[in-house]
Amino acid sequence: MNLTLTYCWKEWRAQRGLLVAYTLLVFTCLCLGLYLAPRHYWFDEGFGVHALSWFVAAGCIGVIAFAVPNLVRAEFTSKDDQFVRRLPGALRPAFSGKLLFLVLVTAALPLLGLLFGELLVTARDSNWDGLFFWDWQGNVSMQRPFVVLAMAAPMLLLPWIWTVGMWLPGGRLALLGTTLLLLLLGVGLFAVMRQYPKIEQGVVWQSWLWTVPLTGLFAAAASWIKGRRGGGPLRSARHGMLALLIVLLPGAVWVGERVWRYRHPDMENLGAMSVVGMSPGGRYALAYVVEDCDWQAALARIDLETGVAQQVTEVGEHLGPLLAAPHRLRTRAAQRYWRGVEGSEDYILDLTSGERHTIELDREQRAVMPPRLATAISQQRTGDSGLSAPGGIRVRCGEGKLFFEMPNGTVEHVDYPFPTDRSSYVAGHGLRVMADGGWRYYGFAQRLIRDVRDAQTALFVGAKILVRVKGKSIRRSGEANRASWVIYHEDGEGEPCEALRNAVVAGLLDDERVLAYVEGAHREALRIFAFNTATGETQDVELPSVAGRSASPWTLRGFVSPMRQTGSVLPRDPANHVWLSCYRGGDTHCFRLHAESLEASGVPVTINMFGNTLLAWDNLPKVVHQDGLEIIETNIETGARRTLFSGAKQNGQ
Amino acid sequence: MNDVVTLSGLGVRYGRKRVLDGLSLSLAPGQVTVLLGQNGTGKSTLMRVLLGVMRPREGTVRMFGLDPLQHHRDVLQRVGYVPDVPDVYPWMNAKDLFKFLAPQYPTWNKGRCRKLCKQLDVPMKTRFKAMSRGQGMKTMLVAALSSEPDLLLLDEPFAGLDALVREEVLQGVLGALKDGDREITVLCATHELDIAARIADRVAVLQDGKLHQHGTLAEVLGEEEPAQVPSGLQQMLATAAQHEEVSV
């Protein structure tokens, strides 16, 4: 302790001139400046707090810019430090003396600033009550002056400034060197954060700030005590860097582990999952998986027979069913082939076999596939496309064409009516695409693009077009939908459709009937009915009451289909039922509606927008659906559930 | 009797340049050994190794039977050192220096310090950066002797001093050797042979980082074949021999 005090005295003796001069000069200037500054209401209001904060900040600057770099200024080259190195015991007491001086000066200068500030505030007959304020509930909170807060970061870095000063030929470069070191570490850290967006989410970094000065002291001790033993700044730098690496190692390991988890999500401990595809036959599911909800997702292939999931893409990469469903039409529930890009490599993933086929691109950037793969994809395209024209004509698209498969087995084709780079949407027996600032429609029956001006929306029903000409797409709460519909016949004559007044059309039940509903002021479905465009008749649907739930009207969320599949007519299960998703308050329920008889019944499966998706209904009465982090098979007759895959953390793990 | 300093196979390099090469040397207690050698032969480097300031690449160093790097405090508390140039913080004055050094040496003798300061006329309140070279060297000598060391290391303390100051410093050293009952072992690096002739019990000649010769001055002069001696050293030895004759 005696030697520590001796070295501490030496530091004071070395620096006292500079520190006293700085203190007197800066504090006097601040006093004068604040005393002479003109009084304005904004300046006078919180004067006490501001004055004190500036004095404290001036004290902090004195520590950061002068006291700490000067700790090593007299000993910065290998010759200069020989005096201290050849003294008995040399470097340990010298280090502890410097540390003691650092602690004392770090406390003393800001406190001295506080004292000067208080004297000034008192002299000006002011106070620093503004440091605290009371809200109308009587809670007291502290106003943290930004000047002092701005000093907090460099004050945490004091030991690092000292350390870097030992590494460089001249303590004057300590501040610059620390800034560069900080930038270097920051660049590394930001590179990781940029590569893995939101990887920092959930980390309470504030609670780890204490490690910054502590690790700095460790590096300083290594640089001085070990580094200066038989060497100069270079040896100090080597030892300090080694110490820095040692202290960074746990952090680097932690970041590395987090990066690993980011890149390779633990399939049994997922934070979120979203199934985006099913293979034909329903054995394999393709799902975005992620361990933390804020992170980027990777795609995994899940075997629903074994419950094993395997990651198939890097995080942030995507697979699209574009080959099988061109123009972004989601008319198929199951897709076997998925196209992706990894780096500069295009490939196709066979979801059924798990194989990955690399593909080449021709000059026009079209995929050139191996013949066997091309045949398989072509066969998948010629299967049920979900598109149809009235009269049992199946419609499919691909290769820039629309194909019409006639009931007699002949196939006709026309060029695809819209630019192929635009997303197409189903509009009953037709398609629509956004172009030239509005929707453009193409009817399969007419095989023509129809210009439906002033239409809010429209859909083809056989050779007719049902056009909504009035009504808001987005309604304010409490305002009923005052929709008006016009039906245009084959000859082009239009007439108002009174049966659909104020109604929303959900889609086609068959070649002639549409399913529609009328909403109340709060979007509740006051009436659900089928409208026959040929006869003008309507038939009401009655949703059954659900045991234990109120009888107030349900709000119709929309129709339900596996993987949100669409089609010319509303998608239906093998038993010819259209599924409807309804909610009432926080209560969600599913109903099956027979497409012919319109008889409705409840389904014990919850489908909503929040991770509960219907995946497959091919094996009725069993359906497969996603329920949060699980994929479940439910028997809709008995209600029995079987977990096919679980990404949730198991109990006891 | 145990030797105060034992060097065995000492090797030091600056980069690729080998400064000390397999140096072995022992200093017996109470002896004054003068380390002779031309500039760049490794005299100052040897001093740095002995002070634990430099880590040798090869060989072992034992001072009072201890490794100066491992037992720095125990060894250095018994060693006084006068560098070739005062290397104290420039803002210090002699008073600050003695105040700073006193707690570091348990054997620090304030009375002797005062006496030596008076004897050598050390300026107490002049900062080192304002001192002349002679004043600085005298202050460093006082600092080295005030701790009553068992081993005194002198690294060319007389170089660059005018004749008067040189004599003052030399008298200070000689006075310390005679003063008191304590036996002081001295290792003095110099290339001034008249100094060597006046204080040396033994002479060690360093050449190309190796110990070329070690013995009394007479032994060194008698053994050396003039043709084998480098011209500079030959001249130095001749000068020393003349001085010895005069002294005798």
Side-chain angles (χ1 to χ4, degrees), chain B residues 4 11 26 40 43 45 55 61 74-75 85 92 94 101 125 133 136 197 213 233:
Chain B
V4 173
S26 297
K43 299 188 295 293
T45 302
R55 187 180 298 275
V61 181
D74 295 336
V75 171
V85 178
M92 270 190 171
L101 291 180
K125 292 191 176 175
R133 183 179 166 81
Q213 282 184 312
L233 185 60

Side-chain angles (χ1 to χ4, degrees), chain B residues 186-202:
Chain B
V186 179
L187 178 64
C188 176
T190 183
H191 51 259
E192 296 175 67
L193 293 181
D194 57 328
I195 299 286
R198 290 176 68 184
I199 65 171
D201 295 324
R202 296 178 72 79

Side-chain angles (χ1 to χ4, degrees), chain A residues 487-548:
Chain A
I487 187 163
Y488 289 91
H489 298 285
E490 290 172 65
D491 54 9
E493 287 296 316
E495 59 173 320
C497 186
E498 289 300 322
L500 290 178
R501 177 170 290 277
N502 297 337
V504 178
V505 176
L508 272 62
L509 282 169
D510 51 37
D511 285 357
E512 292 181 344
R513 292 183 304 154
V514 296
L515 183 67
Y517 56 95
V518 177
E519 289 184 330
H522 302 288
R523 300 200 66 181
E524 71 279 19
L526 299 174
R527 181 188 170 216
I528 304 173
F529 61 100
F531 169 66
N532 192 317
T533 55
T535 64
E537 293 173 353
T538 59
Q539 184 184 356
D540 281 17
V541 173
E542 192 165 342
L543 296 180
S545 60
V546 180

Side-chain angles (χ1 to χ4, degrees), chain B residues 118-122 134 138 141 158 161-174:
Chain B
K118 199 171 179 182
Q119 182 186 328
L120 294 175
D121 193 22
V122 170
K138 284 192 285 185
L141 182 66
F158 311 104
L161 300 181
D162 62 61
L164 198 62
V165 177
R166 186 165 168 267
E167 192 56 32
E168 271 187 290
V169 173
L170 184 60
Q171 288 305 325
V173 174
L174 292 170

Side-chain angles (χ1 to χ4, degrees), chain A residues 141-290:
Chain A
S141 45
M142 189 175 171
Q143 178 190 333
R144 295 179 180 84
F146 75 96
V147 186
V148 175
L149 285 179
M151 287 296 119
M155 290 297 272
L156 280 174
L157 288 169
L158 284 182
W160 281 109
I161 298 171
W162 179 18
T163 307
V164 173
M166 279 183 244
W167 301 352
L168 297 172
R172 287 176 184 83
L173 294 174
L175 280 176
L176 182 65
T178 310
T179 310
L180 286 176
L181 179 71
L182 210 62
L183 279 175
L184 202 68
L185 292 174
V187 164
L189 201 62
F190 280 110
V192 172
M193 287 167 66
R194 190 182 164 90
Q195 191 74 15
Y196 304 102
K198 297 194 175 179
I199 193 170
E200 76 283 3
Q201 288 288 317
V203 178
V204 190
W205 56 270
Q206 293 91 336
S207 61
W208 289 93
L209 283 177
W210 59 270
T211 58
V212 175
L214 212 63
T215 53
L217 283 180
F218 177 67
S223 299
W224 183 256
I225 297 171
K226 282 281 178 193
R228 288 299 169 105
R229 171 72 66 217
L234 270 180
R235 190 176 144 90
S236 269
R238 277 202 300 274
H239 279 75
M241 291 285 186
L242 191 66
L244 174 62
L245 288 179
I246 290 170
V247 297
L248 284 181
L249 197 63
V253 168
W254 179 79
V255 171
E257 191 265 349
R258 206 168 165 85
V259 166
W260 176 265
R261 287 198 291 122
Y262 196 112
R263 293 176 61 105
H264 304 95
D266 180 2
M267 300 297 172
E268 293 177 351
N269 187 21
L270 296 176
M273 180 176 76
S274 173
V275 179
V276 291
M278 294 289 288
S279 68
R283 175 167 174 179
Y284 298 98
L286 189 68
Y288 282 111
V289 289
V290 67

Side-chain angles (χ1 to χ4, degrees), chain B residues 23 27 30 33 35 57 59 98 122 129 142 156 215:
Chain B
L23 179 70
L27 301 186
T33 304
L35 202 57
R57 187 168 279 213
F98 301 145
V122 170
K129 64 182 174 188
V142 171
E156 305 199 27

